[in-house]
């Protein structure tokens, strides 16, 4: 091995040694590295939370009493509109929390919502 090959290999391995941990750290911060670990700390949002109240969020679909909210959206009847069928429900991070199937909701700052829940911003999953 000549000096040029030695220097090139040294820079390559040193660079990889610095870049790989940086990528791993960025993935952990982004939340993409370990979905199981990310859902382990999932906490359900309370329907009394101000953000949840603003969206009329309820944990049980049947708790909606206001008839004006019980409307068809995107061709989906109200009875079939639940969080687990919403575009904002992060199904990939679904977990069981307090005996209920739940996942983070993008509209509620990724706080956990119950799969059988509903809010006024429900949107059909593409």
């Amino acid at each position: 091995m000549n000096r040029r090959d030695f220097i090139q290999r040294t820079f390559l391995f040193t660079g990889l040694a610095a870049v790989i941990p940086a990528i791993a750290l960025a993935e952990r911060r982004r939340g993409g590295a370990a979905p199981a670990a990310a859902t382990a700390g999932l906490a359900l949002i309370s329907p009394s939370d101000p953000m949840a109240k603003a969206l009329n969020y309820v944990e049980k679909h049947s708790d909606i009493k206001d008839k004006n909210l019980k409307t068809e959206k995107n061709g989906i009847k109200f009875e079939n509109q639940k969080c687990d069928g919403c575009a904002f429900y992060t199904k990939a991070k679904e977990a069981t929390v307090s005996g209920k199937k739940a996942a983070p909701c993008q509209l509620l700052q990724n706080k956990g919502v119950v799969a059988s829940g509903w809010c006024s911003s429900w949107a059909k999953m593409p």
Side-chain angles (χ1 to χ4, degrees):
M1 175 187 302
N2 62 27
R3 184 184 303 172
R4 183 177 183 177
D5 289 339
F6 175 76
I7 291 173
Q8 285 178 340
R9 287 183 183 175
T10 302
F11 282 124
L12 174 69
F13 292 124
T14 305
L16 286 176
V19 171
I20 290 174
I23 291 172
L25 179 63
E27 279 294 307
R28 262 187 270 139
R29 285 185 183 163
R30 182 175 76 83
T39 57
L42 183 66
L44 293 177
I45 190 165
S46 169
S48 61
D49 183 280
M51 278 192 306
K53 276 186 171 183
L55 295 175
N56 299 306
Y57 170 72
V58 291
E59 287 186 347
K60 289 183 183 176
H61 185 263
S62 59
D63 287 347
I64 296 292
K65 303 296 182 218
D66 188 351
K67 290 183 182 181
N68 294 327
L69 294 175
K70 295 181 178 185
T71 60
E72 185 175 306
K73 293 182 181 179
N74 299 322
I76 306 295
K77 292 183 180 181
F78 176 76
E79 294 79 24
N80 298 325
Q81 297 173 20
K82 295 183 180 161
C83 288
D84 64 351
C86 179
F88 301 111
Y89 184 81
T90 313
K91 204 165 192 97
K93 294 184 178 181
E94 197 171 61
T96 301
V97 180
S98 302
K100 302 172 186 174
K101 192 166 74 166
C105 175
Q106 296 170 13
L107 291 179
L108 295 171
Q109 297 179 340
N110 287 319
K111 293 180 182 174
V113 294
V114 179
S116 61
W118 181 87
C119 84
S120 57
S121 293
W122 185 89
K124 182 180 176 182
M125 194 176 289

